[in-house]
Amino acid sequence: MRVLAVLAVMFTHTTYMGPFLHPELGAPLGKYPFQVGASVLLVISAYFVCVTIRKGSTSRWLWRRVCRVLPPYLAAVLITYTLLIYFGPDNWILPTRRDLWANLTLAASFDPSVQLIDGSYWTLPLQLMAFGAAALLWPRGLGPRITTLLWIMIVAPVALQWNGRIDHSPFWVVQAWNGLGLHRLQLFAIGIAIWLWSQRRIGVLHLSALIVATVFAQHAHTSDLPSSLGIGVLLVLVALAARGRDWTVFARFRRPIQFLARISFGLYLLNQVVGYLIAYRLMELGAGRFTQIAGASLGVIGLAWLLTKYVEEPAYRALAALRIRGLGARAFAWLNT
């Protein structure tokens, strides 16, 4: 399911968003974007938070999560920035050093005066926020209250944003709302709900109601009904994958699925702007849209493999093996008392 979600992200960017943002690449292959991949990746991330946080020390778990996502993200920012500076077309809006610093520090999501070097980076503050919140709440044990929290996470952002309330709020409220992605809380809530259902802690009717509420919330925030309904379909598939039998029908494709799953985070980080850049250079050589799409996809897969093999995996092994000591660990332990 993670591979399917990442491929959906790549499909949207290569077939629609690329030519939409850069018309010189040609016409989009469809009239509307079908934006489901990134949202489903957040759902799957929330599900695996529940699966993995139960194992060992919570502070250790949080450190490992940060070690997993931050090094490849920082490397992807540097790679994308460098490729754009040296190979980006003159008619593109190229990032500045200020943009680079803002992206490296995760400040770009909160500061409208700078740009995200790659639009995919909007999920990083959300993921880190979710990891931190899970690490603080899990040791306290919510018990039956967790289902109430899930409904609050889905309904409250819709109520707060209704009739443009957030748009008319003070500037700092708008920036915090958008930067932290509070209008995406329903995606984390439904990921937790799917885990609860897989553990038989909630029933199918309760999960169904939460899925319907999530689709409604997604549409309320995005006004994109086709994508919201598409997310609903994928949520059902994620739930079936979490609790149902193994899908042995895909056994013959095990190796390519495992390969793409291994490099999935690198694919997500690099597929958008770098893919546009590869497609642009292929276009200059006379390539048509389908050749651009194929070339961009293959190029991004190669770069994602390099990022995974030489940055993500070795950095995780080295950093995750460190013992957490000092003021930061003591402060975290104090918060959990």
Side-chain angles (χ1 to χ4, degrees):
M1 287 305 302
R2 183 165 62 239
V3 169
L4 178 61
V6 170
L7 292 179
V9 172
M10 294 178 62
F11 178 81
T12 298
H13 289 158
T14 55
T15 63
Y16 183 87
M17 293 304 300
F20 176 79
L21 295 172
H22 305 286
E24 63 272 19
L25 295 176
L29 296 186
K31 293 183 178 181
Y32 305 101
F34 195 56
Q35 298 177 326
V36 299
S39 296
V40 174
L41 285 173
L42 290 178
V43 173
I44 294 172
S45 178
Y47 171 83
F48 278 109
V49 164
C50 299
V51 172
T52 59
I53 198 172
R54 302 162 64 240
K55 302 174 182 178
S57 165
T58 306
S59 58
R60 189 72 179 165
W61 172 86
L62 178 60
W63 173 246
R64 287 176 178 269
R65 291 304 91 204
V66 173
C67 294
R68 175 64 74 184
V69 303
L70 209 52
Y73 165 73
L74 297 175
V77 172
L78 292 172
I79 291 169
T80 304
Y81 174 82
T82 301
L83 290 175
L84 284 173
I85 293 301
Y86 284 99
F87 302 104
D90 294 335
N91 60 330
W92 286 19
I93 300 176
L94 301 179
T96 64
R97 290 185 180 180
R98 187 165 179 265
D99 294 327
L100 174 63
W101 176 250
N103 281 260
L104 290 173
T105 59
L106 295 173
S109 296
F110 304 89
D111 187 353
S113 67
V114 295
Q115 63 170 323
L116 286 171
I117 293 177
D118 189 296
S120 299
Y121 299 162
W122 66 270
T123 62
L124 265 295
L126 277 71
Q127 287 182 290
L128 295 175
M129 175 188 68
F131 294 157
L136 289 173
L137 293 175
W138 184 266
R140 289 168 166 78
L142 294 175
R145 293 173 294 175
I146 184 127
T147 53
T148 302
L149 177 62
L150 297 183
W151 281 104
I152 292 173
M153 291 170 65
I154 294 172
V155 175
V158 176
L160 290 172
Q161 195 170 338
W162 202 260
N163 289 330
R165 289 185 181 132
I166 295 298
D167 295 334
H168 297 92
S169 299
F171 178 75
W172 68 270
V173 173
V174 176
Q175 293 309 111
W177 180 271
N178 293 326
L180 293 174
L182 298 180
H183 55 299
R184 308 284 183 173
L185 284 181
Q186 71 273 5
L187 301 174
F188 294 104
I190 197 62
I192 298 169
I194 289 172
W195 177 78
L196 290 172
W197 182 69
S198 73
Q199 300 298 305
R200 292 173 169 77
R201 291 176 58 180
I202 63 173
V204 66
L205 292 179
H206 195 168
L207 178 66
S208 300
L210 286 165
I211 289 176
V212 171
T214 298
V215 172
F216 171 78
Q218 188 73 13
H219 179 246
H221 293 308
T222 64
S223 300
D224 184 352
L225 183 58
S227 296
S228 300
L229 293 175
I231 289 172
V233 172
L234 290 178
L235 290 179
V236 173
L237 292 179
V238 172
L240 293 176
R243 182 165 160 175
R245 297 179 179 179
D246 290 342
W247 296 352
T248 54
V249 67
F250 296 108
R252 68 182 67 182
F253 307 109
R254 178 184 300 272
R255 293 188 66 180
I257 290 174
Q258 287 178 332
F259 171 74
L260 291 175
R262 176 190 173 193
I263 66 172
S264 59
F265 190 45
L267 281 174
Y268 177 78
L269 291 171
L270 292 172
N271 83 94
Q272 189 168 353
V273 172
V274 173
Y276 301 162
L277 183 58
I278 295 173
Y280 183 91
R281 294 307 177 189
L282 289 173
M283 181 269 297
E284 285 189 321
L285 297 175
R289 285 292 294 125
F290 287 100
T291 303
Q292 293 173 28
I293 292 170
S297 300
L298 291 175
V300 167
I301 288 173
L303 289 172
W305 177 78
L306 292 173
L307 179 66
T308 303
K309 183 175 179 61
Y310 295 106
V311 177
E312 180 181 346
E313 293 176 343
Y316 176 75
R317 287 193 297 267
L319 294 173
L322 297 176
R323 296 184 63 85
I324 306 176
R325 294 177 178 175
L327 180 62
R330 289 196 294 272
F332 184 83
W334 177 79
L335 287 171
N336 280 290
T337 58

